[in-house]
Amino acid sequence: MRLNITGLTPQGEGIARVDNKVVFIPCVLPGETVEAEIISEKARYSRGRIKNIIEAVPERIEPQCPYFFECGGCQYQHVNYKTELVYKVRAVQETLARIAHIGANNLTIEGDKQPWHYRNKATWHLKAGRYGKLELGFYRAASQSIVPVTSCILLNEKINE
């Protein structure tokens, strides 16, 4: 089905509407038109999966991480860094307004010059696979299945070593 993405959740999922029902889709951006399929249907909302980008926004970039579309560790690698900061500020503003009823219109985020290797903490998961082989990695988004990851470009380089 063809969907127009109208917004983002604080978790970075795209928002679309079908018959007045909200559809959440990861890895899309506001202003994009995508072909998607519904993968989960609830009474008040649905979850979708992107099949094809029909019209991309200029802020879309190619993710640097080879695990981005599988791993649930980050949400914004498909958008340029400047726009990522705008989305993060908006998410904080909307959350403060909704939960604490606080206006934060003057809120800003100062980003790093290099948006990689800044995280000092990660939750790795270890699982015994077939024949006793161990798998180390991160959980897939909204899952407890492991995506085997050998390094993460968001983690401090010492942690990756």
Side-chain angles (χ1 to χ4, degrees):
M1 83 177 38
R2 187 180 177 121
L3 297 173
N4 295 318
I5 309 305
T6 58
L8 281 182
T9 67
Q11 295 77 28
E13 290 184 305
I15 299 171
R17 293 194 183 277
V18 175
D19 300 325
N20 292 323
K21 190 175 185 181
V22 175
V23 180
F24 299 112
I25 306 168
C27 304
V28 296
L29 299 167
E32 292 187 321
T33 302
V34 300
E35 181 182 341
E37 65 179 328
I38 302 298
I39 59 171
S40 172
E41 197 70 57
K42 305 289 182 189
R44 294 177 39 166
Y45 66 91
S46 300
R47 294 209 173 276
R49 177 180 19 230
I50 187 172
K51 292 174 75 176
N52 185 28
I53 299 171
I54 298 168
E55 292 178 38
V57 294
E59 296 82 14
R60 177 175 281 280
I61 61 170
E62 191 66 32
Q64 296 295 305
C65 176
Y67 310 106
F68 175 70
F69 292 105
E70 292 181 72
C71 176
C74 55
Q75 291 75 34
Y76 293 102
Q77 282 198 28
H78 60 302
V79 63
N80 69 50
Y81 188 55
K82 182 178 176 183
T83 304
E84 174 185 346
L85 296 178
V86 170
Y87 289 147
K88 288 180 174 180
V89 166
R90 190 174 301 148
V92 171
Q93 289 171 327
E94 290 172 0
T95 301
L96 286 172
R98 187 180 73 250
I99 295 173
H101 307 290
I102 296 172
N105 294 336
N106 295 331
L107 181 68
T108 60
I109 295 178
E110 287 191 30
D112 246 337
K113 290 181 180 156
Q114 173 55 277
W116 311 117
H117 305 295
Y118 66 89
R119 286 189 182 170
N120 293 313
K121 178 184 177 231
T123 303
W124 293 87
H125 301 281
L126 189 62
K127 177 182 176 185
R130 286 189 143 197
Y131 311 110
K133 182 180 177 187
L134 295 177
E135 290 182 327
L136 178 67
F138 296 116
Y139 282 147
R140 251 176 243 293
S143 167
Q144 288 192 347
S145 67
I146 292 179
V147 176
V149 172
T150 55
S151 70
C152 174
I153 64 172
L154 296 185
L155 288 176
N156 181 293
E157 292 171 327
K158 294 282 186 196
I159 295 172
N160 278 317
E161 287 174 18

